[in-house]
Structures are given as C-alpha cells and as structure tokens.
Amino acid sequence: MKQIERMKHLSLLIWFLVFQVVIFSSQVFAEEKPVVVCTTGIMADLLKNLAGEQVSIKPLMGAGVDPHLYKPTHKDISLLSGADIIVYHGLTLEGKLEPILEKLRKRGKVVIAASEFGRKDLLLAAEDYENAFDPHLWFDPMLWKLVAVKVSSELSFALPEKASEIQASTAEYLQKLSEVDQWTRQQIGTIPEKSRVLVTAHDAFRYFGRRYGIEVDGLQGISTSSDYGLRDVKNLAGKIIDRKLKAIFMESSVAAKFIESLQEAVQARGHEVAIGGTLYSDALGPEGSGADTYLGMLKHNVETVVGGLK
Ligand SMILES: [Zn+2]
C-alpha cells in the first residue's frame, strides 16, 4: 500500500517538474525576441504594425498619459536600461525623458528618435519656443508615414536577420496610412467651410489642420507644460462667438477644466457652445475603446470633430 502511495507521489512530482520545464522554456523562448521599449502607446502601436511578430514591444506610458509632463519612475529607468532598442518621438515631446535617453545612447544603446527624419522643411515651428518644432506629427498620416519609414529602416539595420519581414509589414502599413488619409479628407470635406475650426485644450492638431484645411486653436501652446492666461480665454471665446462655432473639444490626456472654463466664458457672453466630445491627442484610448490603435484613434477623432461641427 505504502509503495503505491509513494509511486503516486513520485509520478505527481515528475509531472510537476515536466510542467515547470515547459513553462520555463516558453519564457526563455519569449524573452529571445529583442525587447523594444516605446515611450508612448502611439509609438508602440506603430512598432506593432512594423515588427509585431519580430520583437517584444513594451510601452512606457499607458492610455491617457500626457507625454509632455511625464516623469520616468525607477521601474521605467530599469525597463529602458534593459531594452535592446528604444523608440521615442523626439522633438522634445518627451521633454523630461530625453536626458536619460541621451545618456543611454551615449552608452551604445540603439535609441531611435522617430520624428527626427531629416526633413525639417516639412515640420511646423513651435510657436512658444525658439529653434524648436511642433512634435505632434502623428495627426498628419503622410508625416506619420515618414516616421514609419525612419523607424522601419533603423530597426532593420539593428536587426538584419528580421529585416525582410519588417520591410514587408512596413509596406502593408504605409498603404493603410494612405487609405486613412483619403478617408479623413473626404470626411472633413463634409463640414461647412466656415465651421472648419477646431478648438481644443492644447495645440496638438496643427499638422492635422494643415493637412485637411481646418483652422486649429489650442487654449495652451504645443506643450501642456505652458500656461495660458485669461486673455487667451477671452480671445478664443471671441473667435468662437464670431465664427458661430457649435462645438469645442476636450482631450483625453489634458484636464477637462481648461475647456470647461472656455465654454463658461463663451456662454457668459450669450453664445451656446457644446463640448463636442473628447479627442485623443497625445495618448491612445484604453483597450476596447476602439481608439486603442493609431488608426482607431484617428477615426474616432475625425468622427467626433465632424459630428460636433457639422
Ligand atoms: Zn501634446
């Protein structure tokens, strides 16, 4: 009897050990993929489309996080140090992270500044800062294509054994970006011309405005770290009234109070203006929101803007 019990125990133990080995080896296998740390969810989504099968992608900032104000935690610093490749936007979007990234680059890590693709003539100058550029390139899908090409080629250079797969996925994704660009142009075209004014919390949509012929005004400048004054509120309220705008818009990564105070200022002067919804500007939406990918976010924004202004 005792012998049988012992055998049972032994076989259980063997199964347990086999199970452990399977788990361990699958972990080792998963870790074999090069780890690419991306600063924002927007960038992580791009990487997923360019090299999702080839690399293991880890985003630093989650949904709704403002990259202008983001300070890295201790955990982030160890994630960045352990990465094989880091991809960030650059053009000082991630102002507080850049000194660390520079340090890691000097130590020999592959650090890709995605928005710095050598065509400054295509960029908008930052209004509040000298010798600086507006970093919100992703709202012009044609500029985002240039970002995709830059990331894809640097990634292929760093990972030559995966280059052909990366190049193939890139070609496919560039096609999708062209399609969303055409669709956006057609949608914005349905807003009456005089109502094509987009008023939001901060100036994240200037490239979008340039691409699709829509005037853009943010209560704050291109970085949420800048202040705005009562004069800005008054001027913007005046414009909303003059143009008889039906709606202004919140942003998911900027506090609601900024746009609410603007709405109050407009209504105090006798003009009804609605809050047309929340746009995703510097961060993707939460999982399952439909705006949890770049293409989904763009579609959500376009539909919200068209719905509010038409
Ligand atoms: Zn921004």
Side-chain angles (χ1 to χ4, degrees), residues 240-275:
I240 292 163
I241 295 163
D242 286 347
R243 301 288 289 265
K244 300 190 177 64
L245 296 182
K246 286 187 194 162
I248 54 179
F249 301 90
M250 306 256 195
E251 289 176 40
S252 67
S253 52
V254 184
K257 62 178 187 219
F258 299 121
I259 277 301
E260 282 164 357
S261 70
L262 181 60
Q263 185 188 33
E264 278 164 27
V266 172
Q267 286 176 341
R269 287 162 64 177
H271 176 78
E272 272 304 316
V273 69
I275 298 201

Side-chain angles (χ1 to χ4, degrees), residues 23-40:
I23 286 189
F24 179 71
S25 56
S26 72
Q27 276 171 352
V28 167
F29 184 69
E31 290 303 320
E32 265 175 14
K33 287 187 182 176
V35 174
V36 179
V37 173
C38 299
T39 51
T40 67

Side-chain angles (χ1 to χ4, degrees), residues 66-68 93 135-136 138 202-204 221-224 251 281-282:
D66 180 350
H68 301 289
L93 177 76
H136 304 90
W138 52 93
H202 91 298
D203 262 347
I222 59 158
S223 172
T224 50
E251 289 176 40
S281 53
D282 291 1

Side-chain angles (χ1 to χ4, degrees), residues 19-292:
F19 188 60
Q20 289 296 314
V21 167
V22 169
I23 286 189
F24 179 71
S25 56
S26 72
Q27 276 171 352
V28 167
F29 184 69
E31 290 303 320
E32 265 175 14
K33 287 187 182 176
V35 174
V36 179
V37 173
C38 299
T39 51
T40 67
I42 297 173
M43 192 54 78
D45 178 72
L46 178 65
L47 265 289
K48 247 177 244 166
N49 284 288
L50 303 182
E53 301 290 315
Q54 274 69 46
V55 298
S56 163
I57 300 159
K58 301 196 170 161
L60 222 50
M61 300 173 210
V65 175
D66 180 350
H68 301 289
L69 305 177
Y70 189 78
K71 282 189 195 134
T73 62
H74 285 295
K75 210 177 125 211
D76 293 339
I77 293 169
S78 67
L79 193 63
L80 287 166
S81 313
D84 295 300
I85 296 169
I86 299 169
V87 188
Y88 72 114
H89 293 259
L91 303 176
T92 67
L93 177 76
E94 307 96 330
K96 297 192 163 70
L97 266 173
E98 285 186 17
I100 299 162
L101 300 178
E102 207 40 58
K103 226 182 256 174
L104 291 168
R105 182 185 278 133
K106 277 188 186 144
R107 277 193 225 151
K109 195 177 288 293
V110 179
V111 181
I112 304 173
S115 300
E116 295 170 13
F117 46 71
R119 285 295 307 271
K120 289 193 171 152
D121 57 313
L122 298 178
L123 303 184
L124 292 168
E127 280 170 343
D128 312 335
Y129 305 88
E130 238 176 281
N131 297 322
F133 295 94
D134 183 335
H136 304 90
L137 308 192
W138 52 93
F139 286 126
D140 177 345
M142 294 299 106
L143 288 180
W144 200 234
K145 273 173 100 166
L146 294 178
V147 169
V149 169
K150 151 122 188 187
V151 173
S152 169
S153 67
E154 290 206 18
L155 210 56
S156 302
F157 186 72
L159 307 168
E161 69 287 0
K162 300 180 189 292
S164 62
E165 283 94 340
I166 293 172
Q167 298 298 330
S169 313
T170 303
E172 234 174 83
Y173 195 58
L174 294 180
Q175 181 57 36
K176 286 188 187 161
L177 292 176
S178 294
E179 284 163 16
V180 83
D181 175 59
Q182 278 180 8
W183 174 83
T184 302
R185 183 169 297 287
Q186 182 266 323
Q187 289 293 309
I188 298 296
T190 66
I191 304 172
E193 222 163 298
K194 67 168 180 37
S195 306
R196 286 182 206 161
V197 185
L198 178 56
V199 178
T200 58
H202 91 298
D203 262 347
F205 296 97
R206 291 168 69 218
Y207 291 106
F208 180 81
R210 183 179 71 174
R211 178 83 193 148
Y212 303 111
I214 184 162
E215 244 177 90
V216 170
D217 261 303
L219 197 48
Q220 283 171 298
I222 59 158
S223 172
T224 50
S225 63
S226 64
D227 283 328
Y228 69 95
L230 278 177
R231 203 160 56 93
D232 300 315
V233 174
K234 213 177 145 198
N235 287 344
L236 209 45
K239 184 170 181 174
I240 292 163
I241 295 163
D242 286 347
R243 301 288 289 265
K244 300 190 177 64
L245 296 182
K246 286 187 194 162
I248 54 179
F249 301 90
M250 306 256 195
E251 289 176 40
S252 67
S253 52
V254 184
K257 62 178 187 219
F258 299 121
I259 277 301
E260 282 164 357
S261 70
L262 181 60
Q263 185 188 33
E264 278 164 27
V266 172
Q267 286 176 341
R269 287 162 64 177
H271 176 78
E272 272 304 316
V273 69
I275 298 201
T278 301
L279 305 178
Y280 295 101
S281 53
D282 291 1
L284 295 180
E287 238 179 82
S289 65
D292 50 353

